[in-house]
Amino acid sequence: MSEEKTSQIKFIDREMRKIEVDIGGFNVMFPLNPIPDQVYEEMANAVDMDGTSEDPLRDLYESTLMKPTVSSLSAYGIFPINSAKKIVRLTLTDETIEETIHELEGEELALQGRPFSETIDERIELYQRTLVDDAKIDRFRLGAVEMFGDRTYRNILKDPRVTLNICWHRDDARTALSYQLNCVAEIVPPGDPFFRYMRLMRRLFSSRLLDLRETKDYVCAYKFWICETTDKSLSEKAGFMPDQ
């Protein structure tokens, strides 16, 4: 891409839970907050961790949990908001990724050349094993890869403030569960261990190669650092009784 970045993360202070960002030459401080517990637990158990699902891969494909709408600010056009669907995943800490990325890539590479249907159990097992240790998961961010480098990417280059709207249903709940996550997006270039991790997590359950146009690879990865969270779930008011 030919655009120059006009936004940059200056520093992240986990202890003070602050993140400072240069947006167009102005330093702006944002709070840093963890993934909401309900969202975290749902994502951590999204791929049949207990073995009760008859078709865990279909459950993953049909679930909207990890397919949020990502809204970014645009300096062009009459309407200033651009929205796009992205596939997000929980991320390991940077230290853990650096220690394990070669091993993870080796295991994923060993699955290539065989029919996808024959490797589903191994893919699920690899996903489970990667995220089984809560202590190795970064609770302050989600991750994604950018496929084409279109509007979302160009907008984040200018202004990294984005909103993720996550919405899903649970079989045991008669409510539509939803959270708004206001985030600062950090762009991670190809070759970085985090980019390689997110590329692997994206490809792990892809049964076919995606058309990535002339790039032949993903443009970048995103670290969605969570600043604010709002519960947007649709639930009945306490004491409300429907008409009989």
Side-chain angles (χ1 to χ4, degrees):
M1 290 295 173
S2 60
E3 296 92 348
E4 295 183 359
K5 285 198 295 184
T6 56
S7 66
Q8 180 182 5
I9 291 180
K10 306 289 287 186
F11 72 85
I12 297 170
D13 190 328
R14 293 173 178 273
E15 292 186 2
M16 298 298 292
R17 292 197 174 186
K18 297 188 297 185
I19 180 170
E20 183 175 339
V21 185
D22 179 346
I23 303 177
F26 296 93
N27 288 344
V28 185
M29 193 77 69
F30 297 96
L32 188 64
N33 282 294
I35 302 167
D37 289 342
Q38 190 171 34
V39 174
Y40 176 82
E41 293 298 332
E42 293 281 352
M43 287 188 175
N45 293 282
V47 187
D48 192 36
M49 300 296 276
D50 58 8
T52 59
S53 175
E54 295 182 359
D55 192 342
L57 204 58
R58 186 188 64 183
D59 294 344
L60 177 67
Y61 290 156
E62 293 180 352
S63 172
T64 58
L65 173 64
M66 292 189 282
K67 302 181 182 73
T69 297
V70 179
S71 298
S72 56
L73 291 168
S74 175
Y76 308 99
I78 298 175
F79 297 97
I81 305 297
N82 177 73
S83 293
K85 287 290 185 182
K86 301 291 181 184
I87 295 178
V88 301
R89 296 285 188 260
L90 295 174
T91 76
L92 300 176
T93 64
D94 287 336
E95 294 79 8
T96 304
I97 291 174
E98 291 180 2
E99 293 171 358
T100 61
I101 187 59
H102 290 294
E103 179 183 350
L104 293 174
E105 287 178 329
E107 293 191 57
E108 195 254 348
L109 183 61
L111 301 174
Q112 306 303 317
R114 297 163 57 193
F116 182 84
S117 60
E118 295 181 5
T119 63
I120 291 176
D121 289 344
E122 293 168 79
R123 292 171 185 274
I124 291 174
E125 193 274 335
L126 177 57
Y127 181 91
Q128 293 173 339
R129 185 158 34 86
T130 301
L131 299 175
V132 70
D133 189 347
D134 286 347
K136 295 181 179 180
I137 298 176
D138 196 317
R139 293 294 296 266
F140 291 99
R141 71 190 185 199
L142 295 171
V145 287
E146 171 59 51
M147 292 177 59
F148 302 127
D150 290 334
R151 292 185 181 181
T152 298
Y153 174 76
R154 294 197 300 269
N155 290 347
I156 290 174
L157 283 174
K158 298 293 183 182
D159 190 329
R161 293 173 294 176
V162 300
T163 292
L164 277 60
N165 183 271
I166 296 175
C167 183
W168 77 102
H169 290 80
R170 275 208 321 252
D171 291 339
D172 61 344
R174 297 179 62 185
T175 58
L177 304 173
S178 179
Y179 279 84
Q180 175 177 321
L181 309 181
N182 294 331
C183 306
V184 168
E186 179 181 356
I187 293 176
V188 181
D192 185 277
F194 181 84
F195 172 90
R196 292 159 59 192
Y197 168 82
M198 289 311 310
R199 179 176 59 185
L200 181 146
M201 294 298 279
R202 179 66 178 85
R203 295 191 310 198
L204 193 58
F205 298 117
S206 297
S207 59
R208 58 186 177 84
L209 295 176
L210 297 174
D211 179 10
L212 297 175
R213 301 175 185 170
E214 70 277 0
T215 62
K216 297 182 180 180
D217 202 348
Y218 299 107
V219 175
C220 68
Y222 296 124
K223 295 178 180 178
F224 291 125
W225 295 100
I226 298 172
C227 300
E228 298 176 335
T229 67
T230 304
D231 187 343
K232 297 279 189 172
S233 300
L234 299 177
S235 58
E236 295 180 352
K237 295 181 179 179
F240 173 79
M241 294 294 293
D243 294 334
Q244 301 296 322

